[in-house]
Coordinates of all heavy atoms in Angstrom, one line a residue:
K1 N -7.2 -3.3 2.8 CA -8.3 -4.1 3.2 C -9.6 -3.2 3.0 O -10.6 -3.7 2.6 CB -8.2 -4.6 4.6 CG -9.4 -5.3 5.2 CD -9.3 -5.7 6.6 CE -10.5 -6.6 7.0 NZ -11.8 -6.1 6.6
A2 N -9.5 -2.0 3.4 CA -10.7 -1.1 3.3 C -11.1 -0.9 1.8 O -12.3 -0.9 1.5 CB -10.4 0.3 3.9
Y3 N -10.1 -0.8 0.9 CA -10.4 -0.8 -0.5 C -11.0 -2.0 -1.0 O -12.1 -2.0 -1.7 CB -9.1 -0.5 -1.3 CG -9.3 -0.2 -2.7 CD1 -9.4 1.1 -3.2 CD2 -9.4 -1.2 -3.7 CE1 -9.6 1.3 -4.6 CE2 -9.7 -1.0 -4.9 CZ -9.8 0.3 -5.4 OH -10.0 0.5 -6.7
R4 N -10.4 -3.1 -0.6 CA -11.0 -4.4 -1.1 C -12.4 -4.6 -0.5 O -13.3 -5.2 -1.2 CB -10.1 -5.6 -0.7 CG -10.6 -6.9 -1.2 CD -9.6 -7.9 -1.0 NE -10.2 -9.2 -1.6 CZ -9.6 -10.3 -1.8 NH1 -8.3 -10.4 -1.4 NH2 -10.2 -11.3 -2.3
D5 N -12.7 -4.3 0.7 CA -14.0 -4.4 1.3 C -15.0 -3.6 0.5 O -16.2 -4.1 0.4 CB -14.1 -4.0 2.8 CG -13.3 -5.0 3.7 OD1 -12.9 -6.1 3.2 OD2 -13.0 -4.6 4.9
T6 N -14.7 -2.5 0.0 CA -15.6 -1.7 -0.7 C -15.7 -2.1 -2.2 O -16.9 -2.2 -2.7 CB -15.1 -0.2 -0.7 OG1 -15.1 0.3 0.7 CG2 -16.0 0.7 -1.5
H7 N -14.6 -2.4 -2.8 CA -14.6 -2.7 -4.3 C -14.5 -4.1 -4.7 O -14.5 -4.5 -5.9 CB -13.5 -1.9 -5.0 CG -13.6 -0.4 -4.8 ND1 -14.5 0.3 -5.5 CD2 -13.0 0.5 -3.9 CE1 -14.4 1.6 -5.1 NE2 -13.5 1.7 -4.2
K8 N -14.4 -5.0 -3.7 CA -14.3 -6.5 -3.9 C -13.1 -6.9 -4.7 O -13.0 -8.1 -5.2 CB -15.5 -7.0 -4.6 CG -16.8 -6.6 -4.0 CD -17.0 -7.0 -2.6 CE -18.3 -6.6 -2.0 NZ -18.3 -6.1 -0.6
Q9 N -12.1 -6.0 -4.7 CA -10.8 -6.4 -5.4 C -9.8 -5.3 -4.9 O -10.1 -4.3 -4.4 CB -10.9 -6.3 -6.9 CG -11.2 -5.0 -7.4 CD -11.4 -5.0 -8.9 OE1 -11.6 -6.0 -9.6 NE2 -11.3 -3.8 -9.6
Y10 N -8.5 -5.7 -5.1 CA -7.4 -4.7 -4.7 C -7.3 -3.8 -5.9 O -7.7 -4.0 -7.0 CB -6.1 -5.5 -4.5 CG -6.1 -6.3 -3.2 CD1 -6.0 -7.6 -3.2 CD2 -6.2 -5.6 -2.0 CE1 -6.0 -8.4 -2.1 CE2 -6.2 -6.3 -0.8 CZ -6.1 -7.7 -0.9 OH -6.1 -8.4 0.3
P11 N -6.7 -2.5 -5.6 CA -6.5 -1.6 -6.7 C -5.5 -2.1 -7.7 O -4.6 -2.9 -7.4 CB -6.0 -0.4 -5.9 CG -5.4 -0.9 -4.6 CD -6.2 -2.1 -4.3
A12 N -5.8 -1.7 -9.0 CA -4.8 -2.0 -10.0 C -3.5 -1.3 -10.0 O -2.5 -1.6 -10.4 CB -5.5 -1.8 -11.4
R13 N -3.6 -0.1 -9.3 CA -2.5 0.8 -9.2 C -2.5 1.4 -7.8 O -3.5 1.7 -7.3 CB -2.6 1.9 -10.3 CG -1.6 3.0 -10.3 CD -1.8 3.8 -11.4 NE -0.8 4.9 -11.4 CZ -1.0 6.2 -11.3 NH1 -2.2 6.6 -11.1 NH2 -0.1 7.0 -11.2
L14 N -1.3 1.5 -7.3 CA -1.1 2.1 -5.9 C -0.1 3.2 -5.9 O 1.0 2.9 -6.4 CB -0.8 1.0 -4.9 CG -0.5 1.4 -3.6 CD1 -1.8 1.8 -2.8 CD2 0.0 0.2 -2.7
V15 N -0.4 4.3 -5.5 CA 0.6 5.5 -5.4 C 0.5 5.9 -4.0 O -0.5 6.2 -3.4 CB 0.1 6.6 -6.3 CG1 1.1 7.8 -6.1 CG2 0.1 6.2 -7.8
I16 N 1.7 5.9 -3.3 CA 1.8 6.3 -1.9 C 2.5 7.6 -1.9 O 3.7 7.7 -2.3 CB 2.5 5.2 -1.1 CG1 1.8 3.9 -1.2 CG2 2.6 5.7 0.4 CD1 2.4 2.8 -0.5
H17 N 1.9 8.7 -1.3 CA 2.5 10.0 -1.2 C 2.8 10.3 0.3 O 2.1 9.8 1.2 CB 1.6 11.1 -1.6 CG 1.4 11.0 -3.1 ND1 2.2 11.6 -4.0 CD2 0.3 10.6 -3.9 CE1 1.8 11.4 -5.3 NE2 0.6 10.8 -5.2
K18 N 3.9 11.0 0.6 CA 4.2 11.4 1.9 C 4.9 12.7 1.9 O 5.5 13.1 0.9 CB 5.2 10.3 2.5 CG 5.5 10.4 3.9 CD 6.4 9.1 4.3 CE 6.8 9.1 5.7 NZ 8.1 9.8 5.9
T19 N 4.7 13.6 2.9 CA 5.3 14.9 2.9 C 6.8 14.9 3.1 O 7.4 15.9 2.8 CB 4.6 15.8 3.8 OG1 4.7 15.2 5.2 CG2 3.1 16.0 3.5
S20 N 7.3 13.8 3.6 CA 8.8 13.7 3.8 C 9.3 12.4 3.2 O 8.5 11.6 2.8 CB 9.1 13.7 5.4 OG 8.5 12.6 5.9
P21 N 10.5 12.3 2.9 CA 11.1 11.1 2.3 C 10.8 9.9 3.2 O 10.8 10.0 4.4 CB 12.6 11.4 2.2 CG 12.7 12.9 2.3 CD 11.6 13.4 3.2
F22 N 10.6 8.8 2.5 CA 10.5 7.5 3.2 C 11.8 7.0 3.8 O 12.8 7.2 3.1 CB 9.9 6.4 2.3 CG 8.5 6.6 1.9 CD1 8.2 7.3 0.7 CD2 7.4 6.1 2.6 CE1 6.9 7.5 0.3 CE2 6.1 6.3 2.2 CZ 5.9 7.0 1.0
N23 N 11.8 6.5 5.1 CA 13.0 5.9 5.5 C 13.0 4.4 5.2 O 12.0 3.9 4.7 CB 13.2 6.3 7.0 CG 12.2 5.6 7.9 OD1 11.5 4.7 7.5 ND2 12.2 6.1 9.2
D24 N 14.1 3.8 5.6 CA 14.2 2.3 5.3 C 13.1 1.5 5.9 O 12.6 0.5 5.4 CB 15.6 1.8 5.6 CG 16.7 2.4 4.7 OD1 16.3 2.8 3.5 OD2 17.9 2.3 5.0
A25 N 12.8 1.8 7.2 CA 11.8 1.1 7.9 C 10.4 1.2 7.3 O 9.7 0.2 7.2 CB 11.8 1.6 9.4
E26 N 10.1 2.4 6.9 CA 8.8 2.6 6.3 C 8.7 1.8 4.9 O 7.7 1.1 4.6 CB 8.5 4.1 6.0 CG 8.3 4.9 7.3 CD 8.3 6.4 7.0 OE1 9.2 6.8 6.2 OE2 7.6 7.1 7.7
K27 N 9.8 1.9 4.1 CA 9.9 1.2 2.9 C 9.7 -0.4 3.1 O 9.0 -1.0 2.4 CB 11.2 1.4 2.1 CG 11.3 2.8 1.6 CD 12.7 3.0 1.0 CE 13.0 4.4 0.7 NZ 14.4 4.5 0.2
S28 N 10.4 -0.8 4.1 CA 10.3 -2.3 4.4 C 8.9 -2.7 4.8 O 8.4 -3.7 4.4 CB 11.3 -2.7 5.6 OG 12.6 -2.5 5.1
G29 N 8.2 -1.9 5.6 CA 6.8 -2.2 6.0 C 5.9 -2.2 4.8 O 5.0 -3.1 4.8
I30 N 6.1 -1.2 4.0 CA 5.3 -1.1 2.8 C 5.5 -2.3 1.9 O 4.5 -2.9 1.4 CB 5.5 0.2 2.1 CG1 5.0 1.4 2.9 CG2 4.9 0.2 0.7 CD1 5.5 2.8 2.4
E31 N 6.7 -2.7 1.6 CA 7.1 -3.8 0.8 C 6.5 -5.0 1.4 O 6.0 -5.9 0.6 CB 8.5 -3.9 0.6 CG 9.1 -2.8 -0.3 CD 10.6 -2.7 -0.4 OE1 11.2 -3.6 0.2 OE2 11.1 -1.8 -1.0
R32 N 6.6 -5.2 2.7 CA 6.1 -6.4 3.4 C 4.6 -6.6 3.1 O 4.1 -7.6 2.8 CB 6.4 -6.4 4.8 CG 6.3 -7.7 5.5 CD 6.9 -7.6 6.9 NE 5.9 -7.3 7.8 CZ 6.0 -6.6 8.9 NH1 7.1 -6.2 9.3 NH2 4.9 -6.5 9.7
A33 N 3.9 -5.4 3.3 CA 2.4 -5.5 3.1 C 2.0 -5.8 1.6 O 1.2 -6.6 1.3 CB 1.8 -4.2 3.5
L34 N 2.8 -5.3 0.7 CA 2.5 -5.5 -0.7 C 2.8 -7.0 -1.1 O 2.0 -7.5 -1.9 CB 3.3 -4.6 -1.6 CG 2.9 -3.1 -1.5 CD1 3.8 -2.2 -2.3 CD2 1.5 -2.9 -2.0
V35 N 3.9 -7.5 -0.6 CA 4.2 -8.9 -0.8 C 3.0 -9.9 -0.4 O 2.6 -10.8 -1.0 CB 5.5 -9.3 -0.2 CG1 5.7 -10.8 -0.2 CG2 6.6 -8.7 -0.9
E36 N 2.5 -9.5 0.8 CA 1.4 -10.4 1.3 C 0.1 -10.3 0.4 O -0.6 -11.2 0.4 CB 1.1 -10.0 2.7 CG 2.1 -10.4 3.7 CD 1.7 -10.2 5.1 OE1 0.5 -9.9 5.4 OE2 2.6 -10.2 5.9
V37 N -0.1 -9.1 -0.2 CA -1.3 -8.9 -1.0 C -1.1 -9.4 -2.4 O -1.9 -10.0 -3.0 CB -1.7 -7.5 -1.1 CG1 -2.8 -7.2 -2.0 CG2 -2.1 -7.0 0.4

């Protein structure tokens, strides 16, 4: 939302970095957000 508010569109590419491996709950939350967008 912050990106879209600034640029008036969603990013064409999204890279998510984390210092530790993603667990299943984090992956599910990320996927749910992406499906909605």
